[in-house]
């Protein structure tokens, strides 16, 4: 039936459901579910070949905050060495990883609004790298354009592969390539929020993030500090990411070229995205965190390559706790929005307050994933350890500086489709029918202009714009969803959906990007140039 079905479909349709077929093979989903035109999951799951630990045993790690190596002229200077390191992700199992500074996640950078930061990255990995600060309002030279490579020592030019493009005679004359190190400067003149930094190398972003190249970066300011939100040990960053482990303890990944030096891409069943069967939070499998019976601020990032989650906080007696959303990708909402179920797509962030005060001491609150099945249905747990005083609050008004762009402000409306298609000789993921080409300018926008973009999807595509935040105007002609509130930099397009966003191109001129943040889609063409003039 599968073969017959596949033969009867166009290549494009086959691509759209390729991941679903892989998922069916891996998890035994019914054929009808896997062949659904609008699959509930986009991607295929790898199975780990080592025994997996029981849930809620490993303590939740909190990534260390990086100390500046110096401060001069009002700029904080940091240094991060990108290097191979071994980690004990699963208890008793050694996993070689690619890291920022020897840990996964990398160290957290804590910064203040408007106080610039320079991070010197040194590449001691065996391949070129690129750093992008996701959500940063960053000058183009430091934004981590995918061909602005930092080459490792001794990298031979003749062995260098510039991606799908170079195989077909394309190259990027504007690339700024450095050897061994690069200074990235971030002005951080933007609303306070949780950003994250990760690798963004042309054609190899997905496996590089999978191997560990991701870390957190917060921006704070006095106004946010004054709100009285839960803080200190009651503010927790939660970087959620799925992975799978090979028999030798290494991270499994279906790369066509496991050296990640020459040939990009993944094996056929995983074209729609790579999913793991282990859910990590801050690099620990299904961790547990001891909490007071009080409010906690959870700063949630989905750093998974392709996995979507629908998060719920459930008590031992089956009660669902409110997830009070106070912030989105680009900072505080105007007013809190209460959810019972919070969908989160790759690269999205949600700033959420959960109140454990009504939960019996000694019991667990599990954060579960309604989109998961079996082990991927669990994320982590909180053990309520003790009663405690709580001076925190959630103000009814959180911020007053959200942009309120109107349709009538827009000088232009643009349409983009995000669909599977042909890329060169193989499978690809296309924007407006085209695979990424660094030498082609797809969008030219004037600094200061307001534009409406209409984004249409075949399967799930979390669409991310560099440089700017945007607001969601509509979903398939209807009002946005509750979790679309606030200022976003990544919007989750669901299968078959059309989403309108509105933004003002503000900040800096230069060459930026927009792309799908399903990292496998991004590597297989689903990226486009955004030139701000
Ligand atoms: Cu996509």
């Amino acid at each position: 039936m599968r073969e017959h079905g596949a033969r009867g479909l166009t290549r494009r349709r086959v691509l759209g459901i390729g991941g679903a077929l892989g998922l069916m093979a891996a998890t035994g989903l019914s054929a009808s579910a896997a062949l659904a035109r609008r699959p509930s999951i986009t991607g295929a799951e790898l199975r780990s070949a080592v025994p997996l630990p029981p849930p809620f045993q490993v303590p939740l790690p909190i990534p260390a905050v990086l100390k500046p190596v110096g401060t001069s002229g009002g700029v904080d200077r940091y240094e991060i060495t990108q290097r191979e390191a071994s980690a004990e992700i699963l208890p008793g199992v050694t996993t070689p990883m690619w890291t920022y500074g020897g840990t996964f996640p990398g160290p957290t950078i804590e910064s203040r609004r408007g106080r610039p930061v320079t991070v010197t990255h040194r590449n001691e990995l065996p391949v070129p790298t690129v750093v992008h600060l996701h959500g940063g309002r960053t000058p183009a030279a430091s934004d981590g354009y995918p061909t602005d490579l930092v080459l490792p020592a001794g990298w031979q030019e003749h062995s260098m592969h510039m991606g799908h493009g170079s195989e077909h005679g394309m190259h990027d004359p504007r690339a700024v390539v450095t050897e061994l190190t690069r200074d990235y400067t971030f002005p951080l003149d933007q609303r306070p929020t949780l950003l994250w930094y990760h690798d963004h190398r042309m054609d190899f972003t997905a496996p590089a993030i999978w191997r560990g190249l991701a870390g957190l970066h917060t921006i704070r300011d006095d106004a946010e500090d004054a709100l009285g939100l839960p803080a200190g040990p009651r503010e927790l960053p939660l970087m959620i990411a799925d992975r799978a482990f090979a028999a030798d303890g290494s991270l499994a990944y279906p790369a066509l070229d496991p050296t990640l030096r020459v040939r990009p891409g993944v094996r056929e069943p995983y074209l729609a995205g790579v999913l793991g069967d282990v859910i990590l939070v801050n690099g620990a499998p299904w961790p547990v965190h001891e909490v007071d019976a009080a409010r906690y601020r959870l700063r949630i990032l989905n750093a998974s390559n392709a996995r979507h989650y629908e998060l719920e906080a459930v008590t031992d007696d089956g009660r669902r706790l409110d997830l009070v959303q106070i912030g989105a990708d680009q900072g505080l909402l105007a007013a809190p929005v209460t959810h019972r179920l919070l969908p989160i797509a790759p690269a999205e962030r949600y700033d959420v307050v959960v109140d454990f005060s009504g939960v019996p001491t000694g019991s667990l609150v599990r954060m579960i994933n309604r989109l998961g099945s079996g082990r991927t249905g669990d994320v982590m747990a909180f053990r309520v350890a003790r009663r405690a005083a709580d001076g925190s609050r959630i103000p009814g008004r959180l911020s007053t500086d959200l942009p309120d762009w109107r349709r009538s402000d827009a000088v232009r409306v643009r349409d983009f489709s995000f669909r599977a298609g042909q890329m060169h000789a193989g499978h690809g993921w296309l924007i407006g029918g085209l695979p990424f080409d660094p030498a082609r300018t797809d969008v030219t926008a004037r600094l200061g202009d307001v534009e409406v973009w209409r984004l249409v999807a075949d399967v799930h595509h979390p669409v991310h714009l560099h440089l700017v935040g945007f607001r969601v105007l509509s979903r398939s002609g209807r009002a946005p969803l509750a979790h679309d509130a606030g200022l976003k930099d990544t919007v989750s397009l669901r299968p078959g959906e059309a989403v309108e966003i509105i933004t003002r191109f503000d900040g800096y001129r230069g060459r930026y990007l927009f792309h799908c943040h399903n990292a496998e889609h991004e590597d297989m063409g689903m990226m486009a140039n955004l030139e701000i003039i």
Side-chain angles (χ1 to χ4, degrees):
M1 186 205 163
R2 263 172 71 186
E3 197 188 341
H4 172 78
R7 206 186 290 132
L9 296 172
T10 65
R11 191 177 191 95
R12 173 182 264 191
R13 282 288 301 285
V14 170
L15 268 171
I17 61 173
L21 287 169
L23 184 78
M24 179 173 71
T27 65
L29 268 186
S30 73
S32 60
L35 288 166
R37 180 124 188 270
R38 296 179 176 180
S40 60
I41 290 177
T42 297
E45 188 171 291
L46 289 164
R47 276 280 170 83
S48 290
V50 293
L52 300 179
F56 320 138
Q57 303 294 312
V58 180
L60 175 75
I62 305 296
V65 174
L66 193 62
K67 292 189 175 63
V69 294
T71 289
S72 57
V75 180
D76 294 324
R77 290 184 41 83
Y78 293 89
E79 290 176 1
I80 293 177
T81 298
Q82 305 169 3
R83 60 182 177 87
E84 295 177 283
S86 287
E88 187 179 337
I89 302 282
L90 303 177
V93 175
T94 300
T95 301
M97 298 190 75
W98 288 1
T99 70
Y100 291 119
T103 62
F104 173 71
T108 299
I109 295 180
E110 287 270 359
S111 58
R112 303 295 294 186
R113 178 180 195 158
R115 184 178 172 89
V117 158
T118 296
V119 186
T120 301
H121 277 270
R122 179 182 173 88
N123 180 8
E124 295 185 358
L125 291 167
V127 299
T129 61
V130 172
V131 180
H132 171 58
L133 179 61
H134 181 119
R137 196 166 113 118
T138 306
S142 287
D143 195 51
Y145 192 82
T147 53
D148 286 351
L149 303 173
V150 182
L151 306 180
W155 183 262
Q156 294 299 307
E157 194 67 26
H158 67 261
S159 72
M160 192 158 92
H161 172 81
M162 289 295 292
H164 290 295
S166 65
E167 287 173 353
H168 302 272
M170 288 188 272
H171 69 111
D172 181 13
R174 294 168 71 182
V176 178
V177 175
T178 61
E179 287 178 15
L180 199 56
T181 69
R182 184 172 179 125
D183 289 351
Y184 294 88
T185 295
F186 306 112
L188 304 174
D189 178 18
Q190 61 186 104
R191 305 179 85 231
T193 190
L194 174 69
L195 310 177
W196 61 302
Y197 60 99
H198 63 75
D199 198 67
H200 214 305
R201 173 189 169 204
M202 175 95 174
D203 292 339
F204 292 95
T205 291
I209 294 176
W210 187 270
R211 287 191 186 190
L213 293 179
L216 301 173
H217 183 139
T218 60
I219 308 172
R220 301 178 190 277
D221 73 357
D222 295 344
E224 186 183 304
D225 291 348
L227 290 176
L229 296 167
R234 292 185 187 166
E235 178 188 339
L236 301 172
L238 302 177
M239 179 197 279
I240 303 173
D242 60 339
R243 295 291 186 270
F245 294 81
D248 63 359
S250 66
L251 291 167
Y253 190 84
L256 294 177
D257 170 11
T259 70
L260 308 186
R261 291 173 70 91
V262 180
R263 187 175 176 205
V266 293
R267 297 200 310 271
E268 171 100 26
Y270 301 94
L271 292 170
V274 178
L275 310 175
D277 61 352
V278 178
I279 307 299
L280 306 177
V281 183
N282 297 345
W286 302 288
V288 62
H289 189 67
E290 201 171 87
V291 294
D292 299 334
R295 285 185 206 91
Y296 277 71
R297 181 179 183 185
L298 309 180
R299 313 199 64 173
I300 304 169
L301 158 68
N302 182 358
S304 307
N305 281 22
R307 185 180 288 280
H308 293 239
Y309 303 79
E310 285 183 2
L311 302 175
E312 265 183 353
V314 183
T315 62
D316 281 343
D317 54 3
R319 231 162 21 96
R320 290 192 295 174
L321 300 186
D322 283 346
L323 304 170
V324 181
Q325 186 190 349
I326 57 169
D329 304 329
Q330 287 286 316
L332 291 167
L333 306 183
V337 177
T338 298
H339 307 278
R340 284 296 178 84
L341 183 68
L342 188 59
I344 182 167
E348 284 188 305
R349 286 92 70 214
Y350 287 98
D351 200 345
V352 165
V353 174
V354 175
D355 189 352
F356 297 109
S357 66
V359 179
T361 305
S363 65
L364 277 187
V365 175
R366 289 180 305 137
M367 189 187 281
I368 66 169
N369 168 28
R370 282 276 295 272
L371 290 180
S373 58
R375 299 296 310 268
T376 61
D378 283 321
V379 176
M380 67 172 292
F382 302 90
R383 182 175 298 285
V384 180
R386 61 193 82 78
R387 314 314 305 172
D390 187 356
S392 74
R393 61 193 202 102
I394 307 173
R397 172 170 286 196
L398 294 161
S399 71
T400 55
D401 64 336
L402 275 176
D404 59 348
W405 305 301
R406 292 153 197 264
R407 244 173 234 284
S408 55
D409 298 332
V411 300
R412 204 165 289 103
V413 176
R414 302 184 198 260
D415 289 279
F416 300 99
S417 65
F418 290 75
R419 294 188 199 285
Q422 283 277 6
M423 175 169 158
H424 312 309
H427 308 289
W429 294 95
L430 314 178
I431 300 177
L434 297 171
F436 181 57
D437 176 356
R440 180 189 70 232
T441 300
D442 299 281
V443 170
T444 302
R446 299 184 72 87
L447 190 72
D449 276 1
V450 175
E451 298 194 3
V452 169
W453 286 17
R454 291 197 291 232
L455 316 170
V456 181
D458 55 357
V459 293
H460 291 97
H461 297 292
V463 174
H464 170 49
L465 271 63
H466 285 217
L467 183 67
V468 292
F470 54 78
R471 305 204 67 176
V472 179
L473 280 180
S474 72
R475 284 186 181 264
S476 292
R478 296 191 199 90
L481 299 169
H483 65 269
D484 292 325
L487 196 61
K488 304 272 298 162
D489 58 44
T490 306
V491 63
S492 177
L493 310 187
R494 299 176 302 179
E497 197 169 42
V499 172
E500 287 182 306
I501 60 171
I502 187 166
T503 190
R504 179 168 181 265
F505 292 99
D506 190 26
Y508 305 94
R509 292 184 172 85
R511 185 167 65 155
Y512 292 93
L513 292 165
F514 62 103
H515 61 87
C516 179
H517 222 293
N518 173 315
E520 281 77 29
H521 295 189
E522 172 182 345
D523 281 350
M524 287 179 272
M526 197 166 259
M527 193 151 62
N529 281 306
L530 165 60
E531 185 86 31
I532 317 273
I533 59 167

